[in-house]
Amino acid sequence: MPSAQTAKAQPTVDELIAVLKRTALPTVVCEGDDDLIVYRRLEDQLRHLGVSVLSAGGRENVLQIFNRRSEIPSSVRLAFIADRDTWINTAVPAAYVSPLLCLTSGYSIENDVIADGKLESLLVGAEVSTYKEQLELFLEWYALALSRHLTNPSDPIAYHPKYVLNSKERPSLMALRFGETYPTIMRETLSTKYGTLVRGKSLLLLLLHNLNTRDGLPRYTDKALLEIVAANPGELLTKITNAVASVFAP
């Protein structure tokens, strides 16, 4: 018998489409639970339009529903929000360039939150230099991992920063494969625009790793920072809200 603590199963894409076929509300389809922390605020900001937000359980599900939107009656008003993901490093495919699909300005919603909230400014004193040193080490690996990932998506870019920085793991992570050269130009580009181009969840985890080393001071969580910034959105979160509003505007 399943435990009462068992997590609720995520509906399938088919089930989500069935729900959307029956709704009478203007609906925003977004990725997942962390995104909802931000986008529930969007619901409040657009309450005059009666907007509802639906979690699809991941980016691929959002894109699948977007691709199958013709199965949903045209009377159902829909907008979609997704992380730009590695399209930030390449380009948005033509099939996904649409006013109905609102993409984050940076790699993910975490990038936009970090920028809007100026979260790096939470670091003080020696934390700043330690964070920058760790960031440079992380970017050195990320450039190599990303160059591989863009060729073969099964190559991971989502390792936890603490794993990447671990002195025992790092030599194997940084070892070049046969015939491979280190992507120096990509590394330089990432260093210049890491806040936009690098996976935001990784950046937020690295920031938290440095913020939460303070003795006697409150500890931060990623979800708390997302909610704090969402409550006082800056330019990038406002841009998403405005893009959604334009879809549903009378």
Side-chain angles (χ1 to χ4, degrees):
M1 182 177 179
S3 164
Q5 299 299 316
T6 300
K8 183 180 178 181
Q10 172 64 40
T12 65
V13 168
D14 286 340
E15 289 169 338
L16 291 166
I17 288 175
V19 169
L20 291 170
K21 286 179 178 179
R22 298 191 302 268
T23 188
L25 297 173
T27 302
V28 181
V29 181
C30 72
E31 293 191 17
D33 292 342
D34 285 354
D35 303 83
L36 281 177
I37 295 172
V38 176
Y39 299 136
R40 286 297 183 198
R41 298 282 179 171
L42 182 149
E43 249 184 1
D44 185 59
Q45 292 159 0
L46 300 181
R47 61 184 179 275
H48 61 291
L49 297 174
V51 170
S52 176
V53 176
L54 176 68
S55 168
R59 182 174 185 267
E60 289 307 310
N61 286 356
V62 173
L63 298 181
Q64 282 190 49
I65 297 170
F66 175 80
N67 289 337
R68 295 174 56 184
R69 64 192 185 280
S70 62
E71 300 175 26
I72 301 166
S74 58
S75 58
V76 178
R77 304 180 68 193
L78 294 174
F80 302 82
I81 304 176
D83 289 346
R84 196 168 290 263
D85 209 81
T86 53
W87 292 345
I88 195 72
N89 308 112
T90 54
V92 180
Y96 296 104
V97 177
S98 168
L100 299 181
L101 179 58
C102 310
L103 299 173
T104 54
S105 294
Y107 181 104
S108 67
I109 190 61
E110 286 83 2
N111 297 75
D112 292 3
V113 164
I114 291 169
D116 270 6
K118 299 179 175 58
L119 295 185
E120 287 184 341
S121 67
L122 293 171
L123 296 164
V124 295
E127 297 165 1
V128 176
S129 57
T130 301
Y131 170 74
K132 288 182 177 179
E133 289 170 6
Q134 292 180 356
L135 176 63
E136 288 302 312
L137 289 171
F138 180 80
L139 293 179
E140 184 181 18
W141 166 79
Y142 190 85
L144 180 60
L146 179 62
S147 68
R148 293 169 174 171
H149 181 80
L150 293 177
T151 301
N152 180 5
S154 66
D155 278 313
I157 57 172
Y159 287 150
H160 196 293
K162 288 197 288 187
Y163 178 75
V164 174
L165 298 175
N166 186 298
S167 59
K168 293 181 179 179
E169 306 295 342
R170 191 167 180 83
S172 62
L173 290 174
M174 293 303 303
L176 294 177
R177 298 170 181 173
F178 179 77
E180 187 177 45
T181 57
Y182 185 80
T184 303
I185 295 176
M186 180 177 287
R187 170 71 174 83
E188 292 171 353
T189 301
L190 293 179
S191 287
T192 304
K193 299 180 179 179
Y194 68 87
T196 299
L197 300 179
V198 175
R199 181 175 180 268
K201 284 185 174 63
S202 300
L203 293 176
L204 191 56
L205 287 171
L206 184 62
L207 182 61
L208 287 167
H209 175 63
N210 284 272
L211 288 173
N212 290 336
T213 58
R214 308 165 174 181
D215 292 335
L217 292 177
R219 295 179 65 83
Y220 295 90
T221 67
D222 53 347
K223 290 178 174 57
L225 291 176
L226 289 173
E227 185 169 32
I228 289 168
V229 178
N232 297 279
E235 178 183 353
L236 301 184
L237 295 187
T238 299
K239 180 180 177 182
I240 294 173
T241 301
N242 290 342
V244 171
S246 68
V247 173
F248 299 127

